[in-house]
Amino acid sequence: MSTAPTSQQTQRKLYIESYGCAMNFSDSEIIASIMNEHGFVNTNDELDADVIFLNTCAIRDNAEQRIRERLKHLRNNKKSNNDLIIGVLGCMAERLKSKLLEEEKLVDVVAGPDSYRELPKLVAEVDEGGRAINVLLSREETYGDLNPVRLNSNGISAFVSIMRGCDNMCSFCVVPFTRGRERSRDPQSIINEVLELQKQGFKEITLLGQNVNSYLWFGGGPKKEFKSLTPEEQASSVDFADLLELVANAVPLMRIRYSTSHPRDITEKVVLTMAKHNNICNYIHLPAQSGNTRVLEAMSRNYSREWYMDKITMIKNIIPDCGISCDIIAGFCTETEEEHQDTLSLIQWCEFDFSYMYKYSERPNTPAAKKFTDDVPEDIKSRRLQEIIAVQHKMSQEKNARYIGKTVKVLIEGNSKKSDNDWVGRNDQNVVVVFPKETYQKGDLVEVLIERSTTTSIIGKAIGMTEL
Ligand code: SAM
Ligand code: SF4
């Protein structure tokens, strides 16, 4: 239930800045919804804001350093507006808890990912002259009943969060500590949100979670409690393939994407569901992290190189033209030169369309930090990362060149960054496509004949409107 805004709150302006993964950008839309319900209005101008929230990421050290730098700059905002309230939300807030208030005197509010409903109350505490913190993690919270307010939206594609938290405990990863136990959102509330997006004119949704293939609805609560249900209760649960099917049928004219998949959990049932529905895009983001089985074991990823390759084969057997992308970590603890070579060869074997590639960054208190020494020297990590990037770029170039002379279906998302005369969108496989606008409009689904390619995009000419 919303609390009636006071006359003072009605005027107050909120500026939210999001960092990190899509999940955080999606959370900011939940935060805006909660704050708007309590009388705050959104602004895109930080200098005009009464409240500034930084929705932060903690996945690598440099993500946190970026926030520290940003806070230094915000000192000026506070100097020119004494009443300005600054909040640090999200994963960095959850990781550092009250330490953040001790270390960053500028910060008034610290709130973790499960305490966003408390934000108006936390701001009110600051109004009373204090500083406020809530970093409690929840077993049930999914914010499923809220109507996210679309921020910085292109009006065409939107994120829909389907689950929260992660139970996987990959040894390098801070997420299970910052986002808590895995829990899934009621499928009916997901469908309602998707139908609402369709009504607002959106054409594409991305279902979001840290490990969407692990989605399981059985009435709510932590996933680990599924085991204690009766066989009948278990049989009536909704898994990710069921959810995909429900969403695909609910909005047959919308494009559906999802992210992220864990290789351990992606099933044939999910891929067959994708193949069955024209409106589910043929694209899977399937982070491998490493191409070497011993390193994968040290990472606690629970699959081997061969298991991963078998999953790629399974996907390509069912959907031969499926786009596949990857996340790779260079220089994880104890990684040898030969093991690094296995990562390079995996990229080539899998022919990833693109990858997000990172140097390993040790995160305090994670299993890897406790168990291993971060023993790959920085210069070697950097060199390995450069080699990974070079192989992936060559692969992306080759894959994009294969589109030349072919037609692809593109949903127009907006102006191309380089020219207002061109549209930009993505094809089914999530490759960026650029082409002259002519008479086409944002939101149109068009057939584009590809004439040229680069490492990051394919370029062509529209030849007509098309259907999913
Ligand atoms: N849940 C997703 C998964 O398992 O693939 C991804 C979660 S994480 C937000 C995104 C990516 O960050 C991971 O896939 C991994 O490649 C990278 N990452 C996570 N922890 C890292 C660390 N300590 N150092 C470097 N990269 C890291
Ligand atoms: Fe982190 Fe692993 Fe969970 Fe992804 S699956 S969020 S990498 S613990």
Side-chain angles (χ1 to χ4, degrees), residues 59 165-177 179 182 209-211 260-263 265 287 289 299-301 327 329:
I59 202 87
C166 182
D167 283 351
N168 271 342
M169 293 300 282
C170 301
S171 65
F172 52 79
C173 185
V174 79
V175 168
F177 305 94
R179 289 191 160 267
E182 187 177 311
Q210 292 300 344
N211 177 11
T260 294
S261 294
H262 190 289
D265 296 316
Q289 314 297 359
M299 289 176 163
S300 305
R301 288 289 287 181
D327 288 354
I329 297 178

Side-chain angles (χ1 to χ4, degrees), residues 185-251:
R185 177 178 169 192
D186 184 342
Q188 193 52 54
S189 78
I190 296 170
I191 300 285
N192 292 347
E193 185 175 335
V194 169
L195 288 171
E196 177 59 31
L197 285 165
Q198 178 174 254
K199 218 162 77 188
Q200 291 172 14
F202 284 84
K203 308 280 184 199
E204 179 182 272
I205 50 152
T206 302
L207 304 176
L208 281 186
Q210 292 300 344
N211 177 11
V212 288
N213 300 103
S214 177
Y215 174 90
L216 195 60
W217 174 255
F218 51 93
K223 162 116 184 244
K224 65 184 170 78
E225 286 177 3
F226 181 71
K227 281 189 248 129
S228 58
L229 300 186
T230 64
E232 294 76 40
E233 285 169 332
Q234 289 193 354
S236 64
S237 61
V238 177
D239 68 13
F240 182 60
D242 301 330
L243 178 72
L244 262 185
E245 178 98 32
L246 285 170
V247 176
N249 287 330
V251 285

Side-chain angles (χ1 to χ4, degrees), residues 262-268 286-288 290-293 296 301-315 346 349-350:
H262 190 289
R264 180 82 213 172
D265 296 316
I266 189 151
T267 59
E268 205 166 70
L286 198 67
S290 164
N292 177 270
T293 298
L296 287 168
R301 288 289 287 181
N302 292 317
Y303 55 84
S304 62
R305 175 185 174 93
E306 289 69 31
W307 167 286
Y308 185 89
M309 290 162 103
D310 284 350
K311 291 287 174 182
I312 298 287
T313 305
M314 179 271 284
I315 294 165
L346 187 80
W349 188 89
C350 296

